[in-house]
Amino acid sequence: SSMVLKISCSFKHGLLLLTNGDVYSFGEEMHGELGRGDELSDDPPVLIKVLSSATDVATGRYHSAIISG
């Protein structure tokens, strides 16, 4: 099982980076910052499907960034 490696939180949303490279998003969806292609807000974290294992995450007031590779 994976553990949380990094948490990045901003205005009304956040990202969790797990040790296995999975990224979960949570919070209020206003401008696509949850990164899932929908407009649904989520309190429990939901997995974001990335192309390959993520190595870092960052959030800003209305954006999120994921580095994968």
Side-chain angles (χ1 to χ4, degrees):
S1 84
S2 294
M3 300 180 69
V4 174
L5 178 63
K6 182 175 182 179
I7 301 171
S8 182
C9 295
S10 190
F11 184 54
K12 292 186 177 182
H13 73 286
L15 297 176
L16 302 172
L17 172 61
L18 275 55
T19 53
N20 69 352
D22 285 346
V23 178
Y24 286 77
S25 64
F26 60 93
E28 187 173 311
E29 172 70 62
M30 297 173 60
H31 305 282
E33 58 269 58
L34 295 184
R36 295 191 312 267
D38 59 35
E39 295 183 5
L40 302 174
S41 297
D42 287 300
D43 286 332
V46 175
L47 178 66
I48 299 175
K49 296 178 182 175
V50 295
L51 297 175
S52 59
S53 295
T55 57
D56 202 2
V57 296
T59 55
R61 185 173 176 106
Y62 297 117
H63 69 275
S64 296
I66 299 171
I67 297 174
S68 64

